[in-house]
Amino acid sequence: MLVNVVGLGYIGLPTALMIANSGIKVVGTDKDSKKIDILNKNEITFVEKGISEILASAVERGICFTTEYVTADIYIVAVPTPFNKKSKKVVADYLIAAVKSVLSVCQKDSIIVVESTISPGTIDRYIRPMLEVKNEKLGYNIELAHAPERIIPGKMIEELCNNNRVIGADRRETAEKIRELYGKFCRGEIVLTNIRTAEMSKVVENTYRDVNIAYANELVKICNEADINVYELIKIANMHPRVNILSPGPGVGGHCISVDPWFLVGDYPGLANIILAARKINDSMPEYVLEKISEIMEKNEILDVSRVGLYGLSYKENVDDIRESPTLQLIECMKKHLAKGIKVFDPYIKKKIVDNQYDDFDKFLSEIDLLVIMVGHSHIITSLEKISNKLILDTKNVINNTSAYKL
Ligand SMILES: NC(=O)c1ccc[n+]([C@@H]2O[C@H](COP(=O)([O-])OP(=O)(O)OC[C@H]3O[C@@H](n4cnc5c(N)ncnc54)[C@H](O)[C@@H]3O)[C@@H](O)[C@H]2O)c1
């Protein structure tokens, strides 16, 4: 059996490597030739715990990387699915293009598995008609399945092995075949359902997370008005056996939680009311941090914003993924207010992304008075001595310094 994984990003690459390491022949395809060149030098394309090791062993087992689409038995498509900022609906263009390329090479009985997160009905609307044309014209029997991915950056390999999964397909036999494939490396339970339910399951899971984070973020705003320490409050509330309030933070980033709920808002505008409210609350947090920064500056007579440093550019701790990151949103917000000069440091981001970005932590610290912790990288928790003489705004509540400002 040959599996062709199409789209070798944060999801496609580790998936391809896990399948190859389970002994199945794998070709990884990406349209980005630079990425393919890097992978063909046996180098990794993003930071993730354990990925170098599984890349090395997959290469030993014969995995190939190419910009070409190949004839295979099973295709796994893991390309981006952003949302349209205006309509809020899923942008299926990358998926449509990838499936079109697959259809140009695939054989009679192949199965195309969509791994990308998509809004419910996307396969019926865009992908199924493409297959039907090919099947009817050539007498082919190409089948579809949807296997959304739940892994979290930072723990991808562990979660690929242990998470439960869902697989949606039109026919039980197809779903069973795909379950057998994922079962080669996944020890979690793999449940089978239809395609629409599988599409919806991924979207509602991320929406659930977004709504819960929004509740904590709304609470921090209310508690600040009410003069109550939100962290103490949440600790007390969580002693209730059926309550589990999350922690407030500087916003929600990444390509999942801050994106997927919009699909439901876009498709069901009159119905997705809590979901829309949650999105708005979470999107308001970078601006809320900005208000906190200016309050602290005023209180401590810091007159120049260039004496303020943002720690963390990625959207979550211990990864280098900056997509939709709250820090980038905060910087955008500052630009709107014509405030320039804020300094930025992230130990995981070596490439220059924004103005005044430092690659030397000590130099960064030496040039600021107020340190704003936007991401709780382990690095900051092990650098407490270095930051002990700074004013600190800890938006993630990761350091145990009683004099630090919190959200
Ligand atoms: N990153 C996550 O944490 C995560 C978690 C779960 C699900 N997802 C979902 O998985 C999907 C992929 O996300 P990602 O984070 O891996 O994206 P990514 O941007 O890291 O990777 C996508 C890759 O697809 C390639 N690509 C795009 N169009 C192509 C085409 N026509 N042919 C071949 N390659 C093509 C791009 O060059 C890129 O390398 C998305 O739907 C996302 O929502 C992501």
Side-chain angles (χ1 to χ4, degrees):
M1 176 167 54
L2 176 66
V3 175
N4 184 202
V5 178
V6 177
L8 299 174
Y10 288 94
I11 295 302
L13 180 64
T15 305
L17 300 178
M18 294 300 281
I19 299 173
N21 279 315
S22 74
I24 292 170
K25 214 170 157 217
V26 176
V27 174
T29 299
D30 201 290
K31 67 175 187 179
D32 180 348
S33 58
K34 280 192 200 135
K35 207 169 256 189
I36 295 299
D37 290 346
I38 297 171
L39 291 170
N40 278 329
K41 283 188 222 149
N42 298 350
E43 288 168 13
I44 50 165
T45 45
F46 60 91
V47 177
E48 178 63 37
K49 197 169 143 208
I51 197 143
S52 306
E53 291 79 0
I54 62 165
L55 172 65
S57 52
V59 168
E60 242 170 60
R61 284 174 174 265
I63 192 170
C64 301
F65 302 109
T66 171
T67 52
E68 305 289 317
Y69 301 85
V70 298
T71 301
D73 302 290
I74 297 178
Y75 295 87
I76 294 181
V77 183
V79 295
T81 44
F83 73 102
N84 180 307
K85 294 261 156 76
K86 237 180 174 178
S87 70
K88 313 297 186 205
K89 288 175 186 284
V90 67
V91 175
D93 302 18
Y94 296 97
L95 182 61
I96 293 168
V99 171
K100 199 171 167 198
S101 303
V102 164
L103 286 174
S104 69
V105 294
C106 73
Q107 57 194 13
K108 225 170 175 318
D109 296 315
S110 29
I111 303 173
I112 302 177
V113 183
V114 175
E115 258 214 28
S116 301
T117 305
I118 42 181
S119 64
T122 300
I123 288 191
D124 283 344
R125 216 169 298 134
Y126 302 109
I127 307 302
R128 193 185 297 287
M130 294 164 73
L131 255 78
E132 277 169 1
V133 169
K134 179 109 183 174
N135 281 342
E136 274 165 28
K137 222 169 158 184
L138 300 172
Y140 277 22
N141 187 26
I142 307 161
E143 300 238 16
L144 276 170
H146 180 44
E149 185 49 76
R150 290 170 167 157
I151 57 177
I152 188 163
K155 282 168 80 179
M156 283 182 160
I157 295 159
E158 183 193 325
E159 292 208 352
L160 272 168
C161 292
N162 297 316
N163 282 358
N164 301 322
R165 311 190 61 112
V166 57
I167 289 167
D170 297 331
R171 289 193 319 121
R172 181 86 191 177
E173 292 84 341
T174 314
E176 297 276 9
K177 265 193 205 163
I178 302 305
R179 172 154 67 183
E180 201 186 318
L181 172 66
Y182 282 93
K184 300 266 183 211
F185 61 87
C186 168
R187 291 191 287 262
E189 189 182 342
I190 305 178
V191 296
L192 307 183
T193 182
N194 58 51
I195 286 179
R196 267 181 180 258
T197 307
E199 290 174 318
M200 185 62 118
S201 72
K202 170 71 192 175
V203 174
V204 301
E205 287 157 18
N206 280 345
T207 302
Y208 173 87
R209 301 262 302 125
D210 200 43
V211 170
N212 279 278
I213 296 167
Y215 182 53
N217 284 336
E218 188 155 271
L219 279 184
V220 79
K221 294 181 178 180
I222 293 172
C223 285
N224 282 341
E225 284 293 308
D227 201 16
I228 291 168
N229 179 330
V230 74
Y231 302 101
E232 187 192 358
L233 173 83
I234 291 174
K235 208 165 158 191
I236 294 168
N238 283 349
M239 290 169 78
H240 183 294
R242 284 166 297 281
V243 171
N244 184 17
I245 304 172
L246 303 179
S247 301
V252 174
H255 241 225
C256 286
I257 300 178
S258 68
V259 171
D260 305 345
W262 284 124
F263 297 165
L264 295 176
V265 174
D267 287 349
Y268 304 96
L271 300 174
N273 299 316
I274 294 177
I275 300 169
L276 175 59
R279 274 285 70 241
K280 284 186 178 168
I281 292 163
N282 289 336
D283 274 354
S284 75
M285 292 312 287
E287 182 127 27
Y288 191 67
V289 176
L290 199 49
E291 283 165 26
K292 282 262 150 193
I293 293 174
S294 56
E295 268 170 36
I296 298 167
M297 285 176 70
E298 209 175 301
K299 212 171 182 174
N300 294 280
E301 295 177 355
I302 302 173
L303 302 175
D304 184 354
V305 78
S306 69
R307 299 298 301 173
V308 180
L310 302 176
Y311 176 90
L313 250 179
S314 62
Y315 83 88
K316 77 181 287 290
E317 65 281 0
N318 305 329
V319 300
D320 65 352
D321 189 345
I322 56 161
R323 294 179 294 182
E324 320 290 331
S325 117
T327 306
L328 290 176
Q329 292 175 43
L330 191 153
I331 293 169
E332 274 310 305
C333 229
M334 292 193 83
K335 280 188 191 155
K336 272 192 213 145
H337 296 288
L338 300 176
K340 280 186 186 161
I342 200 158
K343 297 188 163 73
V344 183
F345 173 80
D346 189 307
Y348 284 84
I349 319 278
K350 302 292 170 219
K351 199 170 144 196
K352 192 164 163 14
I353 309 286
V354 290
D355 292 340
N356 308 310
Q357 184 183 334
Y358 287 63
D359 51 16
D360 182 330
F361 186 48
D362 294 334
K363 190 165 187 313
F364 166 74
L365 285 181
S366 72
E367 294 181 16
I368 59 169
D369 299 316
L370 171 60
L371 175 73
V372 183
I373 300 175
M374 295 290 288
V375 184
H377 292 309
S378 326
H379 165 266
I380 197 70
I381 298 155
T382 54
S383 306
L384 294 184
E385 226 181 279
K386 284 190 175 177
I387 62 173
S388 58
N389 64 343
K390 298 285 166 209
L391 280 170
I392 297 170
L393 168 57
D394 178 11
T395 71
K396 295 292 292 182
N397 193 29
V398 285
I399 60 164
N400 216 351
N401 175 344
T402 45
S403 63
Y405 293 97
K406 303 278 173 174
L407 262 187

